[in-house]
Amino acid sequence: MGDNTKKERRKFLDKGLKLGIAAAIGGLGISKITSKLNAKTNHNSKDKMELMTVDGTLIEVDSSEVMEVQHAEDHDKKYNVREGMPNRKFVMVVDLAKCKNALKCQQSCNKHHYITGDNAWLKVYKMQESKDTAPYWMPTTCMHCDQPACVTVCPVDATFKRKDGLVLIDNERCIGCRFCMAACPYSTRVFNWSEPKQEFTLDMDMVNHQYSPEHGGMPSVKGTVDKCDFCPHQVQNNELPHCVTACPNGVFYFGDKYEDTVNNGEETVRLSKLLKDNAGYRLMEDLGTEPSVYYLPPVDRLVDFEDGLEEYNEFKSVDKSE
């Protein structure tokens, strides 16, 4: 009984070793042996290799009949919605000295994402450090953090971070628990309490499109969370986000941190130089969230603060269509 057990164990180990060898050469492919899958040579050649067929059978073939599999050149560059764009790291810079609360950025964002004024993803706030300092306008978007608290608390993997730095929401997975809203220290997320009041006409591309996490909130889905997404479909087509192109004052710069370049629709500049020369900073850096949105302080302003008061409505993002 004991000897039989030992023999079976030896067979098992021997087979396991062969499987390991076969797995180790998984990068090799078999050619010219379709008709030989069940054949075994009787010649003791030093140029024999043992491979595994697709059905798990171990066969011995001549090494001349084995060739390395040639992968496509773009094998590592294939685009995946949840993985993002390889070798990219998207960032945004907001120049507070240029903002005059024109709200063109909000209006363009709402229009192209089919969202209402109540739930605008981009908001502009009236800010003032103290009564002795001058007020200024501050646009806010999702910070697309490198260490996002919202991703950590999401129980269903609806909120996820891509390798290119974008933090997105899969509305088909979202269960509306709002844990992400509670965890976000920047309060940039919105919840859809009801079906959106459609203020913009859907184009044919949107009517016929298949759902993708990159299209989250277009139009919004009742019972789910929305937020700024950095317009990934624009970026994928080498175009700037809608807020960047719509701003009449060049407030928003968008680009790739790895390339160290950002563009505001009018000029392309070095990200590192722009931040260094203008004392760029990120909000609540001490929290360790590592935001991908940088701010330039409102010094040497190019616009008058009072010019934006005509468009300002406290606690209201944009005027809605009648």
Side-chain angles (χ1 to χ4, degrees):
M1 182 72 176
D3 291 340
N4 291 336
T5 302
K6 291 180 180 179
K7 289 180 181 179
E8 292 300 321
R9 186 170 180 271
R10 280 196 294 269
K11 287 182 181 180
F12 174 79
L13 292 174
D14 181 57
K15 188 174 182 180
L17 179 61
K18 291 180 179 179
L19 289 173
I21 294 173
I25 55 177
L28 301 176
I30 304 174
S31 65
K32 302 183 293 184
I33 60 171
T34 305
S35 62
K36 304 180 182 179
L37 290 181
N38 297 319
K40 264 201 172 184
T41 179
N42 294 321
H43 301 291
N44 296 324
S45 171
K46 294 182 179 180
D47 297 322
K48 301 298 180 181
M49 295 185 66
E50 196 172 54
L51 299 177
M52 182 181 291
T53 65
V54 292
D55 62 357
T57 303
L58 288 173
I59 62 172
E60 193 175 66
V61 299
D62 193 281
S63 60
S64 64
E65 295 178 327
V66 180
M67 63 180 180
E68 185 176 357
V69 175
Q70 298 295 323
H71 294 290
E73 293 183 0
D74 63 345
H75 178 71
D76 295 326
K77 299 180 181 179
K78 291 182 179 178
Y79 179 69
N80 181 291
V81 170
R82 291 185 73 97
E83 291 293 323
M85 304 171 202
N87 305 314
R88 307 294 297 275
K89 176 62 174 71
F90 299 112
V91 295
M92 180 175 284
V93 180
V94 182
D95 190 345
L96 298 178
K98 297 179 180 179
C99 183
K100 69 171 185 179
N101 194 39
L103 296 181
K104 299 299 181 183
C105 54
Q106 296 172 318
Q107 293 164 3
S108 181
C109 177
N110 281 14
K111 177 180 178 180
H112 289 94
H113 291 94
Y114 302 96
I115 55 180
T116 64
D118 285 338
N119 278 354
W121 296 352
L122 191 159
K123 297 180 175 65
V124 181
Y125 294 104
K126 175 184 175 182
M127 302 294 290
Q128 188 170 13
E129 308 303 338
S130 70
K131 63 180 182 179
D132 298 322
T133 61
Y136 59 93
W137 301 108
M138 184 175 189
T140 59
T141 69
C142 172
M143 300 297 161
H144 293 274
C145 305
D146 284 340
Q147 300 294 330
C150 55
V151 173
T152 303
V153 301
C154 181
V156 292
D157 196 30
T159 291
F160 60 97
K161 180 182 180 297
R162 309 198 316 183
K163 293 180 180 179
D164 56 17
L166 271 60
V167 177
L168 301 179
I169 303 174
D170 186 341
N171 287 107
E172 286 197 335
R173 297 182 67 93
C174 180
I175 58 175
C177 67
R178 291 174 284 160
F179 288 176
C180 59
M181 295 182 68
C184 176
Y186 303 102
S187 301
T188 59
R189 294 182 168 230
V190 296
F191 185 75
N192 300 305
W193 290 98
S194 59
E195 295 293 344
K197 297 177 181 178
Q198 198 60 54
E199 300 175 7
F200 307 104
T201 303
L202 291 175
D203 58 38
M204 292 307 296
D205 290 339
M206 280 304 304
V207 172
N208 298 320
H209 94 284
Q210 292 185 342
Y211 175 78
S212 164
E214 291 181 326
H215 284 289
M218 298 192 338
S220 300
V221 180
K222 180 181 178 180
T224 64
V225 176
D226 275 339
K227 70 172 192 64
C228 156
D229 59 7
F230 270 6
C231 301
H233 275 76
Q234 289 287 103
V235 178
Q236 188 182 354
N237 293 327
N238 293 317
E239 298 178 0
L240 294 170
H242 294 295
C243 57
V244 179
T245 57
C247 179
N249 299 310
V251 173
F252 301 93
Y253 290 83
F254 186 84
D256 190 331
K257 186 176 183 179
Y258 294 157
E259 294 180 352
D260 195 28
T261 57
V262 289
N263 185 288
N264 68 349
E266 299 176 356
E267 61 175 346
T268 299
V269 297
R270 287 287 180 190
L271 172 65
S272 56
K273 188 176 189 309
L274 182 67
L275 297 177
K276 182 179 180 180
D277 292 349
N278 296 278
Y281 65 94
R282 296 181 293 181
L283 295 181
M284 306 182 192
E285 288 189 272
D286 56 327
L287 296 180
T289 54
E290 296 291 327
S292 295
V293 177
Y294 297 81
Y295 284 90
L296 306 184
V299 296
D300 300 326
R301 303 184 194 184
L302 304 181
V303 296
D304 291 330
F305 172 81
E306 288 73 16
D307 291 344
L309 290 174
E310 297 179 3
E311 300 288 342
Y312 178 64
N313 288 290
E314 192 172 11
F315 305 120
K316 185 178 178 182
S317 56
V318 291
D319 286 328
K320 295 189 293 183
S321 303
E322 296 297 335

